Amino acid sequence: MAQRILGLDLGAHAVKAVFVESTFRGFAVAGTARAAVPPAEGDASLARFAAPVKALLAESGLSYDSVVVALPGAAASSVSVTLPFTDPRRIEQTVGFEVEGQIPFDLADVAWDWQPLATREGKTDLLVAVVRKEEVAALLAALGEAGVDPRTVVPPAPPYAALFASGAVAPPAAPPPPAEGAAPAEGAPAPEAARDAAPGTEALVDVGRERTSVAVVAGGACEAARTFAFGTSHLARALARELGVTEAEGGALVAAECGGPPVPEELAAKGADPRAGEALRRALVPLVRELRATLRAWRARAGQRRVDRLLLAGEAARLAGLSDVLAPEVEGTVAPLALAGPAAQGIPAAEAPGLALALALALRGHQGSRAPRLNLRRGALAFTRDFEHVKGKVARLGAYAALVLLLAIASAGVKYFALARQEAALDRALCDAEEKIIGRCFSNFEEAQAVLRGRGTIGEALPRVSAVDLFAELSDRVPPEVPMRLERIEVTKDKLHLQGTTEAAENVDRIVAGLKASRCFADARSGGARRRSTDGKFEFSIDASLTCLEQGREPSGGRG
């Protein structure tokens, strides 16, 4: 399922937002938005961002699932720490002591977190971000007034690595092929080697109105990050002093130099004064100095490595002469930020430098668990909406389970009531039948059944099979092809005795076999056969127990 992530850049004069739709296969830019921030006018509290953020969300009409925001201004401090091991658990246990020794505050008074920069020779370089808790709490309160509860709060510089890791930065232009027959430049790699070489190190410099952020990225991972107080407002003040104009007019001149709206002719004439260009170059010296210090500190940790490309973002990305001023500090090219892929499809090229931070924040959220762990919302300031959401779901599931249980109990009660009524109706019907047949209602059906069978009465002694029935059964079971004459038939309560004559001795066995097939004479047995001397016939006797007198006796086919 796609997730919408809002990257929020709280600038000094504008709030910028990029909405990224994150899916398993990639991302797409769903929209962008911008809203002006009222001037601070001596009140630099973060509450001034509440109204612009609320207006931005209302005008854009875009929904989101999570928010990633960067701390405004340069309030967050970045500290580089090197630990002599690489185990994340040991880092977690140790880094707090290292940080506490490098900041002038108690750890309980600051919000801080870290992310790894590089691992080398069994050591780990960490970037630690520190800011006073009051700053983060004020930011959360201001955003809360606008209905925004960010999942992640980070310093402005480290998120730029997400632009490179997500493939949102356009690759460098391929160098023109050498002229036919021309020898390659000295030290230049062969074309095959250039194609197979690992991606080099790139740096991004975002010059905003009041702050500048620098990020050094290699292979999509941040290796150095820093934010310091310098921006186009410094350039505007320098122009105002040099040309004798107001600071607002100086800002308009700087904006026009950066590709913004044109200025009136009278002011444009002052901007064309050679002193203006010289004033801008002098005003850029602090930027050059801070960039040089940042790169030197990075090389001191990572070794003497070259920067293959320097990308410019922010308001001053297209400032005339900025590339020439910064070019001596790096070994590669210097150019404004250009986007590629889904980012380029959703953000126009002219707006890419200004929306770089908002896009980087949204892409950091798109990285999910692959993103670095740096997040200043820790401890008491931690994001809790997920937990509250889970609690809400558990509460709803509990309510549903209770409702299902209640319905199950009600259903069981209704079934029990219906079955009880049905059982009572059957009992009444049975009692009526017993009264009609027996003349009395018995609570136990087995007692009524015994009465019907005659148990406990004189009728119990009466046989269930009459003598006529026995004679009929005897007639059916004697084989008709066997000649015989019965001279005596004796039937008692439980026994049959036969005496007679037949032509052959084997006929007696045939008669016994036939009687055994009966359910009433199953244990028939011969008393023997004796031949008479007078007429040559065989006298025989047969005895059998009457097995059909009582119900439940063994049926025909019993033991022989």
Side-chain angles (χ1 to χ4, degrees), residues 72-406:
S77 301
S78 298
V79 179
S80 297
V81 175
T82 301
L83 297 179
F85 40 77
T86 60
D87 185 6
R89 289 179 299 179
R90 294 185 63 187
I91 293 175
E92 187 71 38
Q93 296 169 358
T94 310
V95 65
F97 300 100
E98 295 291 333
V99 174
E100 194 169 19
Q102 299 190 35
I103 61 175
F105 307 105
D106 189 89
L107 278 184
D109 299 331
V110 297
W112 66 280
D113 199 15
W114 58 272
Q115 74 175 49
L117 294 177
T119 302
R120 51 184 175 81
E121 300 176 357
K123 300 179 181 180
T124 304
D125 295 329
L126 305 176
L127 174 67
V128 182
V130 181
V131 65
R132 293 185 64 86
K133 283 185 177 180
E134 290 81 357
E135 294 283 340
V136 180
L139 174 63
L140 297 178
L143 295 178
E145 293 181 10
V148 175
D149 187 15
R151 182 188 302 271
T152 305
V153 176
V154 292
Y160 286 109
L163 294 175
F164 299 87
S166 302
V169 178
E180 185 176 356
E186 184 178 356
E192 294 79 3
R195 284 196 300 267
D196 298 336
T201 304
E202 297 174 293
L204 186 144
V205 177
D206 186 334
V207 183
R209 186 175 183 83
E210 299 289 346
R211 71 182 179 194
T212 295
S213 297
V214 180
V216 180
V217 182
C222 179
E223 292 199 353
R226 184 185 176 206
T227 299
F228 49 89
F230 179 87
T232 56
S233 61
H234 297 76
L235 304 180
R237 286 192 290 271
L239 279 181
R241 288 193 302 268
E242 185 68 26
L243 300 178
V245 297
T246 64
E247 187 172 334
E249 292 174 333
L253 286 173
V254 172
E257 289 289 332
C258 296
V263 295
E265 293 184 4
E266 181 179 355
L267 186 59
K270 293 183 178 181
D273 191 323
R275 294 180 301 162
E278 186 62 28
L280 285 178
R281 292 188 188 90
R282 290 196 305 269
L284 289 172
V285 169
L287 173 62
V288 176
R289 183 174 59 248
E290 296 296 338
L291 174 62
R292 183 181 304 157
T294 303
L295 296 178
R296 283 181 178 177
W298 164 67
R299 289 190 174 100
R301 295 193 321 269
Q304 295 301 315
R305 292 161 53 186
R306 56 178 281 137
V307 176
D308 297 329
R309 185 168 56 152
L310 177 64
L311 299 176
L312 302 177
E315 293 186 0
R318 290 182 171 84
L319 179 64
L322 180 60
S323 299
D324 298 334
V325 171
L326 299 181
E329 304 304 320
V330 297
E331 294 77 12
T333 59
V334 180
L337 173 68
L339 301 177
Q345 297 173 8
I347 299 178
E351 299 181 13
L355 295 175
L357 179 55
L359 175 62
L361 293 169
L363 292 179
R364 184 183 177 94
H366 162 68
Q367 288 179 315
S369 59
R370 296 177 286 110
R373 57 158 282 160
L374 182 60
N375 184 3
L376 295 175
R377 294 203 67 174
R378 300 280 179 184
L381 300 173
F383 180 76
T384 58
R385 180 165 294 181
D386 282 346
F387 181 66
E388 293 174 357
H389 181 62
V390 170
K391 287 198 301 183
K393 279 192 172 181
V394 170
R396 287 195 296 272
L397 290 176
Y400 295 153
L403 179 59
V404 170
L405 180 61
L406 181 61

Side-chain angles (χ1 to χ4, degrees), residues 468-514:
V468 176
D469 295 330
L470 292 177
F471 286 145
E473 183 72 11
L474 177 63
S475 176
D476 290 339
R477 295 302 177 181
V478 173
E481 68 275 7
V482 177
M484 58 167 283
R485 180 179 180 181
L486 294 176
E487 298 177 349
R488 182 181 178 183
I489 301 176
E490 182 179 350
V491 179
T492 64
K493 181 180 178 181
D494 55 3
K495 185 178 180 182
L496 171 69
H497 178 71
L498 300 177
Q499 289 183 356
T501 60
T502 184
E503 300 295 335
E506 59 271 14
N507 289 343
V508 179
D509 294 334
R510 296 174 65 184
I511 295 172
V512 171

Side-chain angles (χ1 to χ4, degrees), residues 465 469-479 496 510-524 544-549 553-560:
V465 180
D469 295 330
L470 292 177
F471 286 145
E473 183 72 11
L474 177 63
S475 176
D476 290 339
R477 295 302 177 181
V478 173
L496 171 69
R510 296 174 65 184
I511 295 172
V512 171
L515 294 178
K516 286 185 176 181
S518 171
R519 69 184 182 88
C520 292
F521 316 117
D523 61 345
S545 299
L546 301 182
T547 58
C548 61
L549 294 179
R553 291 289 188 91
E554 184 180 357
S556 62
R559 65 181 185 277

